Amino acid sequence: MSTRRFPDSVIDGFIKYNEYMRISFHKMLAYRVSYLIGVITYIIHVSVYYFLYKALYHQSHTINGYDLQQMVTYVAIGWISKSFYLNYIDRELTEEVKSGHVAMDLIKPIDFQLMCFARGLGQSLFRIVLFTPPIIIVTTCMFPISGPASPVHMFFFILSTFLSVLIYSGINYTIGLLSIFFLSISGILYSKNMIIELLSGLLIPLDWFPLWFQKFSAFLPFQAIAFLPLKIYLGRLDGSGLVYAISLQFLWVIITMLIGRLVWKICQRQILIQGG
Amino acid sequence: MLRQFIIHLDLGFAYLSQFMKTRMEYKADLILGLVTGLLFQLITLVFIDVLFAKQGLTINFWTKGQILFIYGFSIFPLNLFFAFFPNLYNVGSVYIIEGNFDRILLRPLNSLFQVLLEKVDIESLIGMLVGGAIVCYASAQLNLEWTIIKVVTFAGMVICGMFIYGGVFTAVASFSFWWPDRVGLMAPLFNMITFGKYPVTIYNRFLQYILMWIIPFAFVAFFPSAYFLDNVQFRTYIALIPVVAFCSMSAGMIIWNLGTRHYESTGS
């Protein structure tokens, strides 16, 4: 293991990790059929929840402080932003461990976590350029979605969603590392996706949950992935609340990265045993 | 015919016991599979619970108890399908692109039967415990009466549901014989299963038509549940459940057989 953990200069580092980003981008480009099918998948998700909420609101005007229009916007924008922040670095990590390619990454003079993050960013870059726009177009044509509360809210929503990418990558990286301990972690990855969908507030706003649960989820990183950005988009956060939300997201970016580094430290020992 | 059936049955058990032996080797993974299986059910349960948190809400007049019943029922066919058909997901990649289908074709056994039996996820069946608990809870809430006949009908409808999923996904997996692709159409179809967890009446006409006559997921859980919830409105559809299951599985097998004739191995 090389001791040169960090790049010599910022520019040097940028070029190196930028390359991982570029490769990820091109890999995504290669799977055209998956791309088209991915767009359809998002439309299916938005449709299910659109009809479900529409049926739920058939007698009431507002439920838990949201009217139907806000709810439809919440769900649609939630899935649209997911189409951007989602990445598969957990699955790639698992495959690398299984095939043994991870050994090649270990001998390179790069930081493993930053390399995985660069891949995640590459995927998100692909998504924002080619994947998210068609989803935006189709969903806005199919469903009645409101625009952002104001240009300021839009700006902070974009910033906040970018932070979601980093938090999501941080969680994905850490969970992906578990593949070093278990033979098949597809079940864990699947559960992780389900848990994030629920606890990030993607399926249902977190303020619909019982109060005790809201207090509990305030201490988890998941709400920073979807619930906070969506609250910003809908204009439910202003002034100090907005600043607080963004700072909380920054805090989670740092914490998830640090946890990832810690787990990686533990994993390095485990890898040595496996190779023996 | 009967002889063929017995041979298949006998070999089926041999496959299963071999598979279980390999599965038991990795106990940590097995336990992990069981835990994640339970978790999977729990997430939707929490979702429904939170959705109805405010008193008196209904989904187009379907009450929380009824929605829970439909969801509880839907777990049974889905988990049976997960248990016995998981290998359909690998048809495109492992069997066709990597050429493993050659090995299957060399044996004097039904090819679909062999592919299905090479991977069985028995641990998925644990989810049915949760399904059973939800159905019991919902029945108590709704004061439903259970008779022996109803229990037998329940089991029959669950198996029909499994074959509806089986048929649809066999058909889609068969498309890989013509257009080899790693995952292909499986993923969006897989997501469409979610539509079947809720009453088909909440969707627009277009989606209703698709869920009833093209990809008949409405017949997997919703129409069977309507029978137990004494909803006379859907009597005709309830009677059609076994017919739909038979047609779905037959269509899947016919398309599979057409596909195998089209199979060209990999390599030179």
Side-chain angles (χ1 to χ4, degrees), chain A residues 97 100 102-103 106 180 267-276:
Chain A
V97 170
V102 73
L106 284 173
I180 291 169
C267 285
Q268 275 176 318
R269 286 179 221 145
Q270 185 76 15
I271 288 176
L272 289 176
I273 298 164
Q274 267 196 339

Side-chain angles (χ1 to χ4, degrees), chain A residues 56-71 208 236, chain B residues 54-55 57:
Chain A
L56 189 73
Y57 274 84
H58 75 123
Q59 281 169 315
S60 353
H61 182 66
T62 47
I63 300 172
N64 302 327
Y66 290 79
D67 62 27
L68 178 60
Q69 178 72 32
Q70 284 174 321
M71 216 37 241
W208 286 39
R236 296 171 86 90
Chain B
K54 209 176 119 185
Q55 278 296 310
L57 280 180

Side-chain angles (χ1 to χ4, degrees), chain A residues 123-142:
Chain A
Q123 290 177 17
S124 281
L125 188 70
F126 169 87
R127 288 160 169 272
I128 197 67
V129 175
L130 288 165
F131 190 64
T132 310
I135 294 173
I136 294 176
I137 293 167
V138 179
T139 37
T140 44
C141 287
M142 282 172 72

Side-chain angles (χ1 to χ4, degrees), chain A residues 31 33-34 37-38 40-41 43-45 47-49 51-60 62-64 181-185 187-192 194-198 203-205 208-210 213, chain B residues 23 26 28-29 32-33 35-37 39-40 42-44 46-47 50-54 56-62 82 181-192 194-195 198-199 202-204 207:
Chain A
Y31 295 105
V33 181
S34 310
I37 282 163
I40 299 169
T41 307
I43 306 303
I44 290 175
H45 281 298
S47 309
V48 171
Y49 294 101
F51 286 112
L52 195 62
Y53 280 111
K54 205 176 151 206
L56 189 73
Y57 274 84
H58 75 123
Q59 281 169 315
S60 353
T62 47
I63 300 172
N64 302 327
F181 300 102
F182 296 100
L183 279 166
S184 75
I185 65 158
I188 297 186
L189 299 188
Y190 199 58
S191 316
K192 178 216 63 183
M194 299 278 299
I195 289 172
I196 292 182
E197 275 188 9
L198 185 75
L203 302 181
I204 194 161
W208 286 39
F209 280 80
F213 188 85
Chain B
R23 206 76 189 87
Y26 306 110
D29 281 37
L32 213 65
V35 173
T36 50
L39 201 72
F40 179 72
L42 196 70
I43 300 272
T44 311
V46 172
F47 173 73
V50 175
L51 207 60
F52 286 98
K54 209 176 119 185
L57 280 180
T58 62
I59 289 181
N60 260 0
F61 304 107
W62 293 88
F82 281 161
D181 192 76
R182 289 211 171 252
V183 178
L185 279 169
M186 293 297 257
L189 209 61
F190 199 73
N191 287 303
M192 282 199 71
T194 316
F195 280 114
Y198 304 104
I202 69 169
Y203 306 116
N204 63 14
L207 273 174

Side-chain angles (χ1 to χ4, degrees), chain B residues 38-209:
Chain B
L38 290 175
L39 201 72
F40 179 72
Q41 319 302 338
L42 196 70
I43 300 272
T44 311
L45 198 61
V46 172
F47 173 73
I48 293 174
D49 193 58
V50 175
L51 207 60
F52 286 98
K54 209 176 119 185
Q55 278 296 310
L57 280 180
T58 62
I59 289 181
N60 260 0
F61 304 107
W62 293 88
T63 63
K64 184 181 177 182
Q66 291 172 323
I67 297 291
L68 276 178
F69 188 96
I70 301 171
Y71 174 58
F73 186 97
S74 76
I75 292 174
F76 284 87
L78 187 63
N79 280 277
L80 275 177
F81 170 72
F82 281 161
F84 296 110
F85 293 79
N87 223 8
L88 285 180
Y89 207 78
N90 301 325
V91 168
S93 55
V94 176
Y95 290 92
I96 295 172
I97 294 180
E98 289 169 25
N100 279 312
F101 201 66
D102 291 5
R103 179 166 52 80
I104 300 288
L105 285 179
L106 284 175
R107 297 184 187 139
L109 269 185
N110 182 302
S111 56
L112 179 61
F113 179 79
Q114 287 184 65
V115 168
L116 291 182
L117 275 174
E118 288 195 350
K119 186 165 182 259
V120 181
D121 270 340
I122 290 294
E123 68 258 35
S124 290
L125 296 178
I126 192 104
M128 300 214 293
L129 285 179
V130 185
I134 298 173
V135 167
C136 288
Y137 173 80
S139 306
Q141 292 275 304
L142 300 164
N143 295 320
L144 297 183
E145 271 180 46
W146 284 90
T147 57
I148 299 288
I149 296 171
K150 278 196 173 176
V151 173
V152 174
T153 316
F154 189 95
M157 284 175 167
V158 164
I159 291 173
C160 285
M162 179 189 78
F163 280 120
I164 293 174
Y165 282 143
V168 168
F169 282 93
T170 302
V172 172
S174 309
F175 291 156
S176 302
F177 285 115
W178 286 277
W179 307 284
D181 192 76
R182 289 211 171 252
V183 178
L185 279 169
M186 293 297 257
L189 209 61
F190 199 73
N191 287 303
M192 282 199 71
I193 287 177
T194 316
F195 280 114
K197 282 189 206 163
Y198 304 104
V200 74
T201 51
I202 69 169
Y203 306 116
N204 63 14
R205 290 211 166 271
F206 173 71
L207 273 174
Q208 283 185 25
Y209 184 80

